[in-house]
Amino acid sequence: MQIQAYLFLEGRCDEAIAFYAQVLDAKLEMRMQYDESPGAEQAGMIPPGSEKKVMHASMRVGDAVLMLSDGFCKGPPNFEGFALSLDFSDQAEAQRRFDALAEDGTIKMPLSPTFFSPAFGMVADKFGVTWMLIVSPPT
């Protein structure tokens, strides 16, 4: 069994796909627009005016799959009560990814040493998704 994150970006999915491809080296595996989904119109699944928006996409980020959608395009997304965690073995790589995610976002905790890691930080990206970046301690 696996748990996979599914982000509803309320109309900014294509922008997020491009951003995560750039800053996380995420690879797009699948992308389907609402108007490409078989039977979606009959089932009332297409939000009005969203025919060309992303109904479902999946991206590979390292060994994980991140799923995304434009959702119902009802306004700004609301990402509260969770964070996505990225684990690194290299501090320079963690800093590079942290800085990229922080661009036009909000640093919640700078990437810095803690009692449990040589470097840990939290940042909300420009979509409002909170990311925790941690460097694994040496073994």
Side-chain angles (χ1 to χ4, degrees):
M1 182 183 310
Q2 291 181 334
I3 293 177
Q4 295 173 328
Y6 204 120
L7 304 177
F8 293 92
L9 291 139
E10 298 304 326
R12 297 182 69 189
C13 191
D14 279 326
E15 183 183 354
I17 288 169
F19 181 71
Y20 296 141
Q22 177 186 353
V23 303
L24 299 176
D25 294 329
K27 307 292 184 228
L28 183 64
E29 292 186 333
M30 187 269 190
R31 181 189 176 284
M32 178 184 285
Q33 295 176 177
Y34 279 99
D35 65 356
E36 296 171 331
S37 174
E41 193 169 292
Q42 294 86 352
M45 292 174 51
I46 301 177
S50 299
E51 295 80 12
K52 298 296 181 193
K53 294 291 186 178
V54 178
M55 179 178 170
H56 174 74
S58 63
M59 301 185 82
R60 181 147 307 270
V61 183
D63 293 331
V65 173
L66 178 64
M67 295 185 286
L68 312 97
S69 173
D70 274 315
F72 291 103
C73 304
K74 291 186 176 183
N78 185 15
F79 298 112
E80 293 182 2
F82 76 97
L84 301 179
S85 182
L86 296 170
D87 191 352
F88 298 92
S89 58
D90 180 76
Q91 196 162 339
E93 166 121 8
Q95 186 67 60
R96 183 173 67 83
R97 305 292 182 159
F98 184 89
D99 293 343
L101 287 165
E103 191 168 325
D104 296 325
T106 304
I107 295 174
K108 294 185 170 195
M109 179 180 172
L111 192 66
S112 55
T114 67
F115 71 92
F116 56 86
S117 169
F120 174 81
M122 295 176 64
V123 59
D125 67 24
K126 64 183 176 178
F127 305 103
V129 177
T130 298
W131 297 85
M132 299 186 310
L133 288 79
I134 186 167
V135 175
S136 298
T139 54

